[in-house]
Amino acid sequence: MKIRLFFLLLSLLLCQWTIAQQTVSSGKLIEYSRFNSTIVPSRNVFVWLPTGYSTKERYDVLYMHDGQMLFDANTTWNKQEWGIDEIVGKLLSEKKMEPCIVVGIASIPETRYEDYFPQKALNYLPDEQLPEDISFNADNYLRFLVEEVKPFIDKEYSTNKSVEHTFVMGSSMGGLISLYALCEYPEVFGGAACMSTHVPMILSKELSKEKADQWSRAFRNYLDENLPTANSRIIYMDRGDATLDAYYPPYQDELDKLMRKKGWKGPMWVSKVFPGAAHTEVDWNKRLDNPLLFLLGTDRKDCICDKKDTDMSPDNYLISKFKDADIVLLAEDHGVKENLDFVKKMIPKLYANGIYMLGMEFGAYEDQKQLDSLINAPRYNENLARQLMFNYNTRWAIVEYMNLYKAAWEWNHSLPEQAKKFRVLNISYRYNWEKFEGARTPENMKQVFPLGNTEDFRCTLLEREVLSVHEKILVLTGTIHAFTSYRFPYYDYTSPSFVRYENRFLGNLLYDKYGNKVVSVALHQPFFNYPNQQPTLISPAAGKLELIMEKSQNNPIGFDLKGSHIGELHDYSYYSMGHKDFILSDLFDGYIFLKPIRELSSCTVDYKFMDDTNWNEAVSNSPDPDWQPRPHDKEEYWRVVENFMNIEKRYADVQ
């Protein structure tokens, strides 16, 4: 059967080039007439800003094709419009949508079909089916969008630049190019809306149904090999059943089958049918809230991530980091029971994968021989473990940290007699806080830290005990010591922009010398808020990381931040101070999520840690009296320890 109406009906969609000034009923419209390009012929670009647009806020961006048809029916060839300004403005006022900017890229009637036809689908056509008289140009059109338009928009306007904030949308051939854009640039676009998608692909009235079948099959074959990982993006599809849309059901049905076969499902992908809807701007306007809420609804796009971001258990993920790295710095917020239990269970898995050392910030290297003896002795000596921990920090009365010693002993005790033994390496030394005189001068602090700068000491120790003997190590340490490429900010009125960046923490020192042989992985934790702002602690990425985890049923996972879409989430904590467009991957290489912050629990206080025999030393060598005054009595000592260990209270106000 010949599809003779295709050409006539589809030709009605070819929008005439107009330079008439458009007006909008809400927000502000800025027109860039004949936007210059070195890739494609120039065309108009329209930028719609929502009411109340402010450079103090970051906005998601929706890129739309056929931009001259979006805003003002008085300037369109058929006196119809999408009404994008009215619908978006209404949804924003109802707080149903994320604040967004709409960028409309005008089409050129003479080349619209060539610009919007998914070009690489031609590779799946037999040679005899390849058209000879059409110069397809979609790849250049997308380059224009990605390499010229988007950088301009991101420079001129206050945008969220990352993938989970960037979307593309169109209808008919515009639906095709939107889906094609998602396949070709999954690192740029987090989702696509394809309305009344022209899945038959064909244009000319001479083409038969047989050729429409062949061409649509070629597009499906392209999609079969090039769709993003199932459910890693969000894809909206719909159609009506009147006028040109009446021809779409068999083709859209086949496309839907492919999507299901590839593993796509709700809520990440939907394919809707609107009975009675025709192939017109008026009909797209009537259902425009559907794709807008799908892409930009306040509860939607936090689930955009690569499957690779969230498909590894925490232990397997941590082991995977040792494929290329020799030192993995595991950043923790002190006193979280789940973190210590996780590290304890990692010891057998580390050993099985050729990692024979666990480094601990919480121990003095002067005691290393005794520690080696402890975890290799025939019997475990709990009192010795307690003494070694006390030697390092007279207030570190925490059972779970000492249990790491015991877990290493248990593992070594299970090994054959001649087998290589697992080692716990203390990477700190004994600090003499009894020498602290109140004033932090170089002379005074040399008395407190007799072996010098603690970060230099730890770096040199790891070089000597690990790297020089070609071993690998997992180092459990406080977050600030684990930074590698990230530079921690301090207010400094003598520095440019009043910010000085620290580059001499342990991870910085190691990374600057050994590069990717050193990796930082953070255990899930709250971040500090800006000074003098409440609450004191806030959730990473303004809570969006936890929203993503919630959509995965809060299953424990490990994932890369570098090169992943979760890593592109913007963070506004203290860590962002002075850093432009700060995202999570600027902070760490990887991340381990065990539980939501509100479900993390306190470690166990060891009430045998201090008694009459060591009370005087507990007072005189109490760490950092500026941070926490020396206790006057035992009740105060235990009150300080218990308050520090109270994670539920510490995290109670995290937002």
Side-chain angles (χ1 to χ4, degrees):
M1 165 185 163
K2 299 287 185 180
I3 311 177
R4 300 187 181 278
L5 290 177
F6 272 170
F7 179 72
L8 175 62
L9 294 171
L10 192 58
S11 66
L12 295 176
L13 301 172
L14 301 181
C15 310
Q16 295 181 358
W17 182 254
T18 176
I19 59 173
Q21 183 64 45
Q22 300 196 39
T23 60
V24 291
S25 61
S26 70
K28 178 181 179 181
L29 187 65
I30 302 168
E31 179 176 345
Y32 296 92
S33 181
R34 304 191 68 82
F35 188 96
N36 188 47
S37 170
T38 62
I39 302 173
V40 297
S42 62
R43 60 201 68 203
N44 287 6
V45 171
F46 305 91
V47 178
W48 180 84
L49 304 176
T51 301
Y53 169 82
S54 169
T55 56
K56 295 180 179 180
E57 186 175 359
R58 296 288 179 182
Y59 294 83
D60 294 2
V61 183
L62 175 62
Y63 291 91
M64 296 188 66
H65 312 291
D66 293 316
Q68 72 272 38
M69 305 297 293
L70 302 177
F71 304 104
D72 188 352
N74 293 318
T75 64
T76 63
W77 71 276
N78 61 358
K79 301 305 178 185
Q80 295 186 24
E81 61 169 289
W82 285 62
I84 191 77
D85 50 315
E86 289 95 344
I87 302 299
V88 172
K90 178 177 179 293
L91 293 174
L92 288 176
S93 69
E94 295 171 350
K95 300 188 182 304
K96 293 180 179 179
M97 266 182 67
E98 295 287 341
C100 71
I101 295 170
V102 178
V103 179
I105 300 96
S107 57
I108 301 175
E110 295 79 10
T111 62
R112 182 176 183 273
Y113 182 69
E114 292 91 332
D115 287 345
Y116 289 180
F117 184 96
Q119 194 168 341
K120 290 188 174 64
L122 297 170
N123 298 333
Y124 298 84
L125 280 175
D127 291 343
E128 61 272 16
Q129 292 293 330
L130 293 174
E132 298 179 358
D133 57 345
I134 302 177
S135 298
F136 293 101
N137 201 39
D139 289 346
N140 279 334
Y141 172 74
L142 291 182
R143 281 188 56 212
F144 162 66
L145 177 56
V146 170
E147 297 176 18
E148 294 182 332
V149 177
K150 185 178 188 297
F152 173 80
I153 297 299
D154 288 338
K155 179 181 178 182
E156 294 295 319
Y157 298 97
S158 184
T159 65
N160 283 316
K161 300 177 178 63
S162 54
V163 64
E164 76 275 9
H165 300 287
T166 308
F167 304 92
V168 61
M169 181 174 174
S171 64
S172 191
M173 292 297 295
L176 285 179
I177 193 64
S178 297
L179 187 55
Y180 189 54
L182 195 68
C183 295
E184 292 294 294
Y185 293 96
E187 75 281 7
V188 174
F189 300 107
C194 314
M195 301 180 72
S196 296
T197 310
H198 188 60
V199 191
M201 310 285 289
I202 62 174
L203 174 63
S204 173
K205 65 181 181 180
E206 283 82 21
L207 291 179
S208 65
K209 181 179 183 300
E210 180 182 359
K211 281 196 173 177
D213 290 344
Q214 290 173 335
W215 284 41
S216 62
R217 187 181 306 115
F219 183 47
R220 291 197 302 274
N221 289 337
Y222 162 82
L223 293 174
D224 193 23
E225 295 187 8
N226 292 280
L227 276 166
T229 303
N231 308 308
S232 66
R233 298 291 180 277
I234 52 179
I235 300 176
Y236 173 95
M237 296 175 177
D238 75 17
R239 65 171 176 84
D241 60 6
T243 64
L244 189 57
D245 278 30
Y247 293 90
Y248 290 169
Y251 302 101
Q252 185 65 51
D253 288 348
E254 289 299 317
L255 180 52
D256 291 349
K257 288 179 185 177
L258 172 65
M259 297 293 288
R260 286 190 287 268
K261 185 190 85 169
K262 298 291 290 182
W264 287 86
K265 58 185 178 180
M268 308 302 288
W269 164 66
V270 297
S271 183
K272 295 188 174 186
V273 178
F274 292 87
H279 203 89
T280 68
E281 285 79 12
V282 169
D283 289 271
W284 297 326
N285 170 271
K286 291 177 181 177
R287 63 180 191 265
L288 189 53
D289 58 332
N290 286 272
L292 289 173
L293 291 175
F294 184 86
L295 294 181
L296 291 144
T298 53
D299 62 345
R300 284 307 315 236
K301 57 188 182 50
D302 287 307
C303 54
I304 299 170
C305 59
D306 272 341
K307 186 177 185 298
K308 70 178 183 180
D309 292 348
T310 56
D311 65 353
M312 264 196 203
S313 64
D315 50 347
N316 287 337
Y317 174 75
L318 198 58
I319 293 298
S320 75
K321 295 296 96 185
F322 285 99
K323 179 181 179 182
D324 299 311
D326 294 329
I327 297 177
V328 175
L329 300 168
L330 189 59
E332 69 146 7
D333 188 25
H334 300 321
V336 178
K337 185 178 188 301
E338 286 77 7
N339 294 347
L340 279 299
D341 289 345
F342 168 69
V343 175
K344 182 175 72 173
K345 292 177 182 177
M346 281 298 304
I347 289 176
K349 195 148 194 172
L350 290 168
Y351 188 94
N353 286 275
I355 302 113
Y356 303 115
M357 280 193 275
L358 170 66
M360 287 181 63
E361 173 192 345
F362 326 97
Y365 186 72
E366 297 97 322
D367 295 331
Q368 188 63 47
K369 288 185 179 179
Q370 283 186 289
L371 178 56
D372 291 339
S373 175
L374 170 69
I375 65 176
N376 289 293
R379 293 186 178 181
Y380 185 71
N381 188 333
E382 185 177 289
N383 288 329
L384 177 57
R386 188 176 288 118
Q387 182 61 51
L388 297 179
M389 192 64 71
F390 184 88
N391 289 347
Y392 169 67
N393 187 320
T394 62
R395 284 207 300 264
W396 216 252
I398 309 168
V399 170
E400 283 76 8
Y401 286 96
M402 289 176 279
N403 279 350
L404 295 177
Y405 294 162
K406 188 171 185 180
W409 176 85
E410 290 173 344
W411 177 250
N412 285 342
H413 198 63
S414 73
L415 296 172
E417 185 175 346
Q418 301 304 317
K420 183 180 178 74
K421 298 299 190 284
F422 190 82
R423 192 182 191 200
V424 176
L425 182 67
N426 285 343
I427 67 168
S428 300
Y429 65 87
R430 295 188 187 184
Y431 311 140
N432 297 327
W433 283 105
E434 65 270 23
K435 301 286 187 179
F436 182 65
E437 298 178 0
R440 292 179 185 262
T441 66
E443 294 76 16
N444 287 345
M445 298 315 291
K446 284 178 183 177
Q447 299 297 312
V448 177
F449 300 107
L451 299 184
N453 180 288
T454 58
E455 306 302 287
D456 288 329
F457 178 87
R458 291 163 177 162
C459 179
T460 301
L461 177 65
L462 289 169
E463 288 179 305
R464 183 180 71 245
E465 297 289 331
V466 181
L467 298 178
S468 68
V469 294
H470 308 291
E471 292 280 5
K472 293 175 181 280
I473 188 170
L474 173 67
V475 178
L476 178 67
T477 184
T479 297
I480 200 167
H481 307 292
F483 297 138
T484 52
S485 59
Y486 172 72
R487 301 314 193 219
F488 187 81
Y490 292 94
Y491 166 75
D492 182 354
Y493 79 97
T494 66
S495 297
S497 300
F498 306 109
V499 180
R500 172 174 57 86
Y501 300 99
E502 179 59 64
N503 64 349
R504 290 192 53 79
F505 288 112
L506 170 62
N508 299 143
L509 297 174
L510 290 168
Y511 181 79
D512 287 349
K513 295 180 72 171
Y514 301 101
N516 292 333
K517 291 294 183 183
V518 183
V519 169
S520 61
V521 176
L523 290 159
H524 185 46
Q525 59 190 271
F527 295 165
F528 281 103
N529 202 347
Y530 260 57
N532 299 321
Q533 292 192 16
Q534 295 298 323
T536 304
L537 298 175
I538 57 176
S539 188
K544 291 185 177 180
L545 189 151
E546 286 215 339
L547 285 175
I548 293 174
M549 298 300 105
E550 184 179 349
K551 293 178 186 297
S552 299
Q553 290 75 52
N554 286 323
N555 291 321
I557 51 175
F559 49 89
D560 284 342
L561 290 176
K562 302 287 187 185
S564 79
H565 304 301
I566 296 179
E568 292 173 350
L569 292 174
H570 282 81
D571 179 70
Y572 307 97
S573 69
Y574 179 92
Y575 294 134
S576 70
M577 187 172 75
H579 295 278
K580 186 177 180 181
D581 294 327
F582 187 73
I583 56 178
L584 288 181
S585 63
D586 292 329
L587 196 55
F588 305 107
D589 299 307
Y591 208 87
I592 287 175
F593 176 90
L594 299 175
K595 284 183 177 180
I597 290 171
R598 291 295 181 87
E599 295 181 16
L600 295 173
S601 56
S602 304
C603 284
T604 310
V605 176
D606 177 13
Y607 289 100
K608 296 180 180 180
F609 195 74
M610 185 276 297
D611 56 26
D612 291 339
T613 64
N614 58 8
W615 162 245
N616 289 334
E617 184 179 356
V619 174
S620 63
N621 205 24
S622 182
D624 203 340
D626 279 349
W627 173 53
Q628 185 68 55
R630 293 186 174 106
H632 293 92
D633 52 41
K634 294 175 184 177
E635 288 74 17
E636 184 179 357
Y637 171 92
W638 288 118
R639 185 166 58 252
V640 170
V641 171
E642 290 166 349
N643 285 339
F644 178 73
M645 283 301 99
N646 193 335
I647 293 297
E648 292 83 356
K649 181 179 179 181
R650 196 195 307 176
Y651 292 172
D653 296 327
V654 172
Q655 293 182 1

